[in-house]
Amino acid sequence: MRGLSRSEVAERVALGRTNATRRTTSRPLAHILRDNVFTLFNGVLTACFLAVLVLGDLRDGFFYGIVVANVAIGVVQEVRAKRALDRLALLAAPVARVRRDGTTVTLSPDDVVLDDVVLLAPGDQVVADAVVLEQTELTLDESMLTGESEPVQRQEGEPVLSGSSVAAGTALVRVTAVGAEAYAAKLTAEIRRHSLAFSELRGATNRILVYVSWILAPIVVVVLASRAFAYTGSLDIRALFIDDRWRDALLDLIASVVGMIPEGLVLLISLAFGVAAIRLAAQRVLVQELAAVEILARVDVLCLDKTGTLTDGTIVLDEVTALGDDARFAQALGAIAADESANATARALRERFAASAGVAARRIPFSSSRGWSGVELADGSAWLLGAPERLLPDGEVRERASWTAAEGRRTLALVQVERLPDDVVDQAGVRPAALLVFAESLRPDAAETLGFFARQGVRVLVLSGDAPDTVSALVRRLDVEGEAVDARTLSDDDALARALATSTVFGRVTPDQKRAIVRMLQRDGHTVAVTGDGVNDAMAIKDADLGIAMGSATPATRAVSRIVLLDDRFEALPSVLAYGRRVIANVERVANLYLAKTVYGILFAVAFAALLVPFGFLPRQLTLVSTLTIGIPSFVLALAPNGKRYVPGILRRLTRYAAATGVVAAATAITVYLVGLRLLPLPEARTAATVALFVVAFWVLCVLCRPLDRTRSALLGAMLLLFAATFLVPFGREFFALEVLPVPAILLAVAGGSLGAVGIEAVYRVARRAGLVFDREPQPGAKLS
C-alpha cells in the first residue's frame, strides 16, 4: 500500500488537517507568575511600600522584603516542577511510522495528516484515531483510555483510538481524525483548564485579609482625619499639605496598615510548603503546587485506580498446577516463553521456566482468533498453551479452570497433543499437562500503604475499569474486604450514591462515573484524593481536592495533578502525608502569633485615631517586635517535627484565640504609651510602648512553644538576647529609632508588659481547655471549637 503522495500531504497541511495540537504538559509560566504575584496581600503591601518610597526612608519599608521572598519561593518551586514535567513529557513523546509514496517514513505525531496510512507494531502508540485496513493478530492496550487492563482485539474495518498502544500483532491503519478531533484530544480538552489547589491555611489567611480589607478604607479615612486634627487642629485633611505635615500623617498611616496585615504568615506558609516540597523531591515526589503538601493531611477519602497504581502493569505467574506425570511440560513452557514474539502472558513464564526450556523444532505463534499458541520440541512432543475452553474437554479439569477464571484470575491450560494442529483443536485427543494462573503484578508496597491509610482513618475506594471479578480478586490479595460492584449496573446518580455508602471496590467504572464519585464525596463534605496514570483518570484527578499521578502517567494526567510520584512509588504517599501534617499543625500553631498581631494592629489604628494622639509606633518598631516574637520564631517552629492529626475548623480556632491575645497585647501597649506621653517625650514614649509590646508578644510566643524542649528554649533565649542587643548596640537603636530610657520609664514598660503577660497566660489556659490551641496530640472526644 503506497499511502498518500507528497502533493496529497501538502494539500492536507495547507487545509490544517494535521495532527498538530496543543499538548498540555504543565502549568504555563504566565499562570504561575499571575497566581503568585497578583494577590490581595501583595497589592496592599505594595501600595504601602510605594508610599514609603515617597517618604524617602527605606528603613520603614523593611516589611516589603516579605512580599519579594514570598513571590520568589512560590515561582521558583512551581517553575522547577514545570521543568521536571516538561522533561518527562519530552522523554515520553511517541513517533509514528507512515507509508508515503510507497515508502515507510518515521515522523513526529504532529506531522501525521488525515488519511495517512500508519504502520502499527507491538509497543507502538496510536497517535491519531484510525480504522484498521489490514491486521495480523492485532491486540490493543486501551488501559490509558478506559482503565481496562485486558487487551482488546481489533479486526479489519474496526476503529482504533488515539492514546491506545499495541500489545501484540501488527496492522496498517488509515487515519480518520487528527488534532483536536481525535479521541484523546477531545478527552483532554477540559483538562487543560487549570484550577488552583485549595489550601485551608491560605484560605483562612485570605479570608482574614478580606476581613481586614473591609475595614481598611474606613480606618484610612479615620486615621488621616485624626492625623489632620492631631497635627493641625483641623479635620480638613488638606491642612496636612498646607502645614507640610503630610509626611508624618502618611508614616502613621503606613504603620497602621502594616500593623494590621499578617504579612509574614503568607511567607511562612509558602516557605513551609516549599521546604516540604524540596524534601519530597529528594524522594522523587514532585509537588506541582505548594498547597498540595497540606491537602493530603486533610484527605479523608483516597480513590485509587487499580492498573498502574496498585499494580505495576506487568503480568506475573501466580500458580502452576501439574495435571499429569510428564515432566517435560516445564521444557514446553520454557520453549514457549523463549519465543521472541511471545506476548506479555507468555513472557511472564520466563523467570520460572527459562532455565528448563526445551529446544523448539517448530512454533505456532499465539493467535487471538485461535486462542492458543503451540510448540513442538526436538524430541517430537507437541504442546499447546491457551484458553481452557479452547483446549480442554468437558470434565473436572475444565470446571476447575472455570472456577479459577470466575474469581477474576487469568487462567491458561497447557496440553499435550499428538501433533500441532493447523487451526481447530480436537479436544478429545489432548492430554492436560498443567493449569497456569496469572495475576497482575502488585506493587510491593501497595498492601502496606493501604494499611497505613486505614490506620489513619482514610477511607480507600478502588475504582477500576476492569471486570468486577478481576478487581475483587486483586484487592483480596491486598486484604481489602468486599466484592467489587459492577458500575454498569448503576444507572443513575442515586444508585451510585447508594453503592458508595456500602461499597469500597468498583469495577467497569467509566471516566464520567469517576468524576461523579469525586463530586458526590466532595458534596458530602469529604476531602478527596485521586491517584491514577491514564487519560481515563485525568478528569477525576483534576476535579479532586488532591490529584496524584504516577510518573509513567500520560502527559495530560501529570499536568493536571498536584503531586507526581516520579518513580511510580506508591509507598511515597505516607511521606507526603507526614509532611502535610507537619505543615498544617505547625502553621496553625504559629498563625496564632500573626493573627494576634493583626488584632492588636487594628486596635492600635482605631485607638490612636480615636484618642487623637500620634501613632504609638514607627513602622520599623512594629517590624522589630514582630520579627523577634513572630517572624524568626515562626519559621523555626514551622519546620519542626509534628505528627498531630488534622483537626477541622482552623479559621474559627485561630480567630477566637488570636482575638483574645490581641486585645490583651493592645491594651498593654496602649496603656503604657498613653502614660508615657504624659511623662516623656514622644520618641521615649514610643520606645516604652515598644518594650511593653515586646514583653507581652514574647509571652504569646512562650505559651505557644509548649511543651518546651532544648530547641524551643534556645529559640526563646536567642530572641531575648537579640532584643537586648538592639538597645545595647548604637546602630540598632538608631535604625529602629529607639531611645535610651530613664529608669522610671523602663520600670513602666517592663511592669506593664509583665501584667500583659499574666493576661496572656490566663487566656492560654482557658483556650487550651476549650480546644482552641493544642500543645500535644488532641485526645479523642476533646471539645473542639
Side-chain angles (χ1 to χ4, degrees), residues 388-389 391-399 402 427-428:
E389 64 272 17
L391 300 179
L392 296 175
D394 291 335
E396 179 183 349
V397 175
R398 182 166 172 175
E399 188 175 355
S402 299
Q427 295 178 345

Side-chain angles (χ1 to χ4, degrees), residues 188-244:
T188 58
E190 190 176 353
I191 296 173
R192 293 175 179 151
R193 189 178 68 251
H194 179 72
S195 59
L196 280 177
F198 172 73
S199 162
E200 184 173 6
L201 292 173
R202 282 179 171 171
T205 304
N206 288 336
R207 286 185 65 182
I208 291 167
L209 286 175
V210 170
Y211 297 154
V212 171
S213 68
W214 288 348
I215 63 174
L216 197 58
I219 284 182
V220 167
V221 173
V222 170
V223 169
L224 287 177
S226 69
R227 295 309 92 195
F229 190 85
Y231 291 134
T232 68
S234 169
L235 290 176
D236 188 353
I237 296 176
R238 292 175 297 178
L240 291 171
F241 296 92
I242 295 174
D243 293 344
D244 199 27

Side-chain angles (χ1 to χ4, degrees), residues 386-533:
E389 64 272 17
R390 299 287 186 93
L391 300 179
L392 296 175
D394 291 335
E396 179 183 349
V397 175
R398 182 166 172 175
E399 188 175 355
R400 187 195 309 178
S402 299
W403 289 342
T404 305
E407 294 176 350
R409 297 191 291 172
R410 187 175 305 174
T411 306
L412 296 182
L414 178 71
V415 299
Q416 187 177 4
V417 293
E418 293 295 330
R419 61 183 181 81
L420 293 180
D422 294 327
D423 193 4
V424 180
V425 178
D426 181 6
Q427 295 178 345
V430 304
R431 293 189 297 277
L435 281 180
L436 295 88
V437 179
F438 297 83
E440 291 184 78
S441 177
L442 287 173
R443 295 189 182 277
D445 49 280
E448 181 179 350
T449 305
L450 290 182
F452 169 82
F453 281 109
R455 293 189 297 273
Q456 299 301 316
V458 178
R459 183 187 180 195
V460 176
L461 298 178
V462 179
L463 309 178
S464 175
D466 270 342
D469 289 340
T470 303
V471 183
S472 295
L474 182 132
V475 297
R476 280 196 296 271
R477 295 162 58 195
L478 296 171
D479 296 326
V480 177
E481 298 180 357
E483 294 297 317
V485 175
D486 190 337
R488 293 173 299 184
T489 64
L490 306 176
S491 56
D492 54 35
D493 287 348
D494 290 339
L496 186 58
R498 288 192 297 270
L500 277 176
T502 58
S503 303
T504 59
V505 184
F506 294 80
R508 297 299 187 199
V509 182
T510 66
D512 286 340
Q513 284 178 315
K514 287 188 178 184
R515 298 185 70 185
I517 289 172
V518 169
R519 290 172 178 173
M520 285 180 182
L521 293 168
Q522 291 172 327
R523 183 186 61 199
D524 292 338
H526 295 289
T527 302
V528 183
V530 176
T531 69
D533 64 343

